[in-house]
Structures are given as C-alpha cells and as structure tokens.
Amino acid sequence: MTTQPGIAEATSAWTDPAGWQSLLDRERHLFEPMIEGASVGFVTRESADRGSGEMLVWRRADGATRVERQSFGGFADCPVALLFVAEPGSLEAVHERLHDNALGTLKLQLRSGATLLYVIAPKRKLLDDGYEDFVEALGLAFLGACR
C-alpha cells in the first residue's frame, strides 16, 4: 500500500472508513441537526504545516453523515467548518476507542493539545447549520452562557 500525501503513516485510523462510519451511525443524534453539506475534517499536523495533503471528512449528505477523503489545500481554502489537526498518534488514540468512547477520547485529545480544533466557519453559521450538539459533546461550549 502506498502512503497518501499528508498521511505520514498509512494507519487504520486514517484508512478505516467502515470503522469511522460505525461511530457516525452510532452517534447520529449529534449530526442529525446539521444541514446537508455540513462537514468536519481531520488532517495530520504535517499536512496542516505544509498546507496540503489529504483530509478525513465527516459530511452530511442525503440525511446521514458519511466518511469521505478529500484534498486539503490549506486553511485559506478549507472546505469544512471545523478542522481537527492531529499530532502523530492522536487520531490513532481516538480510533482505538471507536467502539466504546471515541468522542470522549477526542475530547481528551483536544484538552491535552494532541489535537487542535480550528473553527473555519463563523459562529453564526455554525449555529445556523446545526453544529451545536456535536461541538458541545466535545465539551466545547463556544456559544457561552447567553445566546
């Protein structure tokens, strides 16, 4: 198997769409409020630093959230609303917990700084497009106490 640009090591965390899809199906209640086309992406720190590579994307389409891969061309032209930038081993740690606490592990990766979250879309768009439940499930109360 050849390694894709931006995927430092082709690990199952980056190449397991069926595993990620099972997580998205199980946690569908977090994604159902999102509009068609709403999406979050994951890239390696290497890809983010270089401004190019490949991205793992969770996108709403046809009433469900699907796993895709697509090109990452840097922050200026990023096609997702939320971008997770993973240090080596970070997404693998989440992937190891796909069947029991993956989102909790993602939350821990965010808190420890092993994964960084870049909010690409404006806050109002995130609210309008239904991201609130997903963001709050990660312990990120970006909306504040007053709305």
Side-chain angles (χ1 to χ4, degrees):
M1 172 170 36
T2 60
T3 302
Q4 296 292 324
I7 306 291
E9 255 179 68
T11 64
S12 59
W14 294 98
T15 60
D16 180 19
W20 292 113
Q21 190 62 56
S22 68
L23 169 69
L24 298 178
D25 292 346
R26 191 171 56 257
E27 300 291 345
R28 69 181 154 273
H29 65 281
L30 298 175
F31 303 99
E32 287 173 344
M34 293 181 185
I35 65 165
E36 291 288 304
S39 59
V40 300
F42 296 83
V43 296
T44 63
R45 163 60 72 192
E46 177 186 346
S47 293
D49 290 347
R50 189 177 51 245
S52 67
E54 196 166 284
M55 184 169 42
L56 180 68
V57 177
W58 299 348
R59 182 179 320 283
R60 288 292 291 172
D62 301 320
T65 306
R66 305 276 185 230
V67 178
E68 306 174 354
R69 301 204 48 157
Q70 75 179 77
S71 294
F72 172 72
F75 291 94
D77 192 31
C78 191
V80 298
L82 302 172
L83 181 66
F84 294 89
V85 176
E87 294 289 346
S90 177
L91 194 65
E92 290 79 4
V94 176
H95 186 264
E96 288 174 11
R97 302 298 301 270
L98 278 181
H99 300 293
D100 64 353
N101 192 22
L103 294 181
T105 303
L106 179 56
K107 185 177 180 178
L108 290 173
Q109 295 299 310
L110 289 164
R111 285 189 177 162
S112 73
T115 296
L116 301 176
L117 173 61
Y118 290 86
V119 180
I120 307 298
K123 183 165 100 173
R124 180 82 254 156
K125 181 163 178 48
L126 293 175
L127 285 170
D128 291 346
D129 292 355
Y131 287 85
E132 184 175 2
D133 291 347
F134 175 66
V135 171
E136 288 186 357
L138 296 176
L140 304 169
F142 74 99
L143 300 176
C146 300
R147 296 183 203 172

